Amino acid sequence: MVQRELKHVVVREHVRSLLDGAEPGTPAPSERELVSQFKVARMTVRQALDALVAEGLLERMPGRGTFVARPRRRPAQLTSFTEDMRRRGLTADSRTLLARIEKAGPGVARALEVEPNSPVVHWKRLRRAGGATMCLEDAYLNEALLPGFLASGLPSSLYDALQGRRLRPTWAEDAIQADVASVEEADLLGLEPGQPVLRLARRALCGDRVVQVSRSTYRSDRFTLHVQLGEATA
Ligand code: GLP
């Protein structure tokens, strides 16, 4: 038993070193070649190749053989406003309109998964990119996870600050809606009331903890939402 385990590891590592740095699509040695080269059972060879397929180094093409796999693409990243704007070549900055501790109302409590009336940080910012007003962001954070958040001075990037506390969201639920600006929003965003806006509501979690819920209202004439779907092919 020990013998067979060792053999498949030997075969696996041989194939790995043989294909080290090879272009995607390079054929792996066939099972038959490996069987005769290592004088092992076909099952041992299959076990070695299976492990490399599971690792993502190789991929099987039915009827054609086994090849060096294309690198797996990472799914779309959960990005902050600062990062979204940087990708567009713009520098983000913000003006804080409100930052205080409040008691969670029923809707915010439900979304943050805290008891109603629990302390939450309410932070409202007018967000600009390249000097132009882009969005109005209204966010609530679970204060219990972020003790002293307001006292430590407001950061320019919330996600950077959360990263510093090992609470950067790892996943989120977004809801996107077309709407028109209210009188207050229009005033802050430099629009006329009734002009179109794009609303983006996010519930951001770090693992299984809801860190933040937010509503962002974007000027739809300045902001395009880019979404990556599925896996990109090479
Ligand atoms: C996005 C999210 C917001 C989040 C913000 C953080 O815009 N929709 O919910 O608050 O990013 O951005 P930053 O780290 O630049 O403050």
Side-chain angles (χ1 to χ4, degrees):
M1 188 64 193
V2 171
Q3 264 271 298
R4 211 178 83 215
E5 274 178 20
L6 286 174
K7 278 183 191 163
H8 84 77
V9 172
V10 170
V11 176
R12 187 187 72 203
E13 293 313 308
H14 164 79
V15 175
R16 191 201 298 283
S17 62
L18 196 70
L19 297 175
D20 184 34
E23 288 293 307
T26 305
S30 71
E31 287 186 8
R32 198 148 31 87
E33 281 163 13
L34 292 167
V35 165
S36 76
Q37 185 180 349
F38 286 90
K39 314 246 175 308
V40 291
R42 197 165 191 118
M43 211 173 77
T44 307
V45 165
R46 199 160 292 159
Q47 199 177 352
L49 295 178
D50 280 351
L52 295 173
V53 170
E55 265 182 45
L57 181 74
L58 298 181
E59 62 184 336
R60 287 209 169 88
M61 307 278 203
R64 291 183 46 213
T66 307
F67 301 87
V68 173
R70 293 187 205 97
R72 283 183 190 158
R73 300 296 168 111
R74 283 151 63 105
Q77 292 283 292
L78 175 54
T79 49
S80 68
F81 180 83
T82 305
E83 291 159 344
D84 285 345
M85 295 307 129
R86 196 179 297 136
R87 282 183 180 184
R88 292 162 168 81
L90 301 171
T91 304
D93 68 88
S94 305
R95 178 155 68 89
T96 290
L97 303 172
L98 181 156
R100 65 181 180 214
I101 308 275
E102 292 178 7
K103 287 182 181 170
V108 168
R110 203 176 319 113
L112 279 179
E113 295 176 3
V114 298
E115 292 298 320
N117 297 322
S118 304
V120 290
V121 176
H122 184 186
W123 190 14
K124 197 166 171 177
R125 289 181 281 177
L126 191 60
R127 313 215 60 175
R128 303 193 316 162
T133 302
M134 186 65 91
C135 138
L136 183 62
E137 184 188 303
D138 204 7
Y140 293 87
L141 298 144
N142 181 353
E143 212 270 336
L145 295 175
L146 297 159
F149 180 79
L150 291 180
S152 50
L154 290 170
S156 56
S157 164
L158 170 64
Y159 279 13
D160 282 354
L162 293 174
Q163 171 104 46
R165 294 178 181 236
R166 297 178 175 276
L167 278 172
R168 181 177 164 119
T170 50
W171 65 288
E173 296 165 344
D174 280 1
I176 296 135
Q177 199 187 13
D179 202 357
V180 292
S182 68
V183 173
E184 189 211 347
E185 287 165 344
D187 183 39
L188 289 164
L189 290 169
L191 297 170
E192 292 298 322
Q195 279 194 292
V197 291
L198 192 68
R199 298 193 190 282
L200 193 149
R202 175 173 293 179
R203 222 162 76 95
L205 295 90
C206 178
D208 59 1
R209 291 172 296 180
V210 187
V211 180
Q212 180 224 23
V213 292
S214 66
R215 283 200 202 92
S216 301
T217 307
Y218 290 86
R219 275 185 64 139
S220 59
D221 57 341
R222 294 192 176 151
F223 181 75
T224 302
L225 182 71
H226 300 283
V227 185
Q228 234 182 319
L229 299 169
E231 270 188 51
T233 49

